[in-house]
Amino acid sequence: MIDLKKYNLNKTQHRIIYSVSELNIASIGNILKLLNISKQALNVNVRNLMKQELITEISSKKDKRIKTLKLTKKGNALNNKINEEQTKRIESLFNKVNNDWEKAMIELSNEYINGLNKN
């Protein structure tokens, strides 16, 4: 598992950053539906990401009530760095199990469960 603490992020913040990077229109409403979190949880994490200069909030020109999230250059760089680390981790795992999909999924599951047990 990727240690998000070294990037000064929690899981929800990482999910927000990744979602914003992948969505064509990263409106607050779209993010809420996708992540299935409360508006309060989203707002707290978005404010923190804005303080870290990873994300910006843009009001719609047509309707000021609609807010869209966008990654800053710093946010994009961080997202790319985390994605790179995840890709290397998965490639390493597949190499370890000779590209056996089932064994790779078992390894990932065990790693995830072990991570949960540490908390």
Side-chain angles (χ1 to χ4, degrees):
M1 293 184 75
I2 303 299
D3 181 13
L4 295 173
K5 288 178 188 172
K6 72 181 177 184
Y7 298 110
N8 197 27
L9 295 175
N10 63 39
K11 287 179 186 178
T12 301
Q13 291 166 341
H14 175 246
R15 291 173 63 211
I16 292 168
I17 288 173
Y18 181 77
S19 299
V20 169
S21 77
E22 294 299 314
L23 288 172
N24 289 330
I25 300 172
S27 69
I28 298 293
N30 287 347
I31 300 285
L32 287 170
K33 287 178 193 170
L34 181 66
L35 300 182
N36 195 28
I37 59 176
S38 71
K39 193 169 185 177
Q40 182 180 2
L42 179 68
N43 285 336
V44 166
N45 285 292
V46 166
R47 297 291 167 240
N48 186 283
L49 293 170
M50 290 172 74
K51 284 180 190 172
Q52 293 182 57
E53 299 178 350
L54 298 172
I55 238 171
T56 59
E57 191 176 76
I58 303 163
S59 293
S60 168
K61 291 176 183 172
K62 294 179 183 177
D63 185 345
K64 297 292 181 196
R65 296 172 298 173
I66 299 174
K67 307 251 191 263
T68 303
L69 300 177
K70 184 178 180 196
L71 294 181
T72 63
K73 285 183 182 180
K74 185 177 172 183
N76 247 330
L78 179 62
N79 185 54
N80 291 339
K81 189 174 183 178
I82 292 170
N83 287 344
E84 234 176 75
E85 184 178 341
Q86 288 175 324
T87 298
K88 286 179 184 175
R89 173 70 188 106
I90 290 170
E91 285 174 355
S92 171
L93 176 66
F94 272 93
N95 286 336
K96 178 181 169 186
V97 296
N98 296 319
N99 293 321
D100 184 312
W101 181 258
E102 185 178 354
K103 286 180 183 175
M105 292 301 103
I106 290 169
E107 287 280 331
L108 279 173
S109 297
N110 288 336
E111 189 176 299
Y112 182 76
I113 289 168
N114 289 335
L116 288 175
N117 290 335
K118 288 181 183 177
N119 294 331

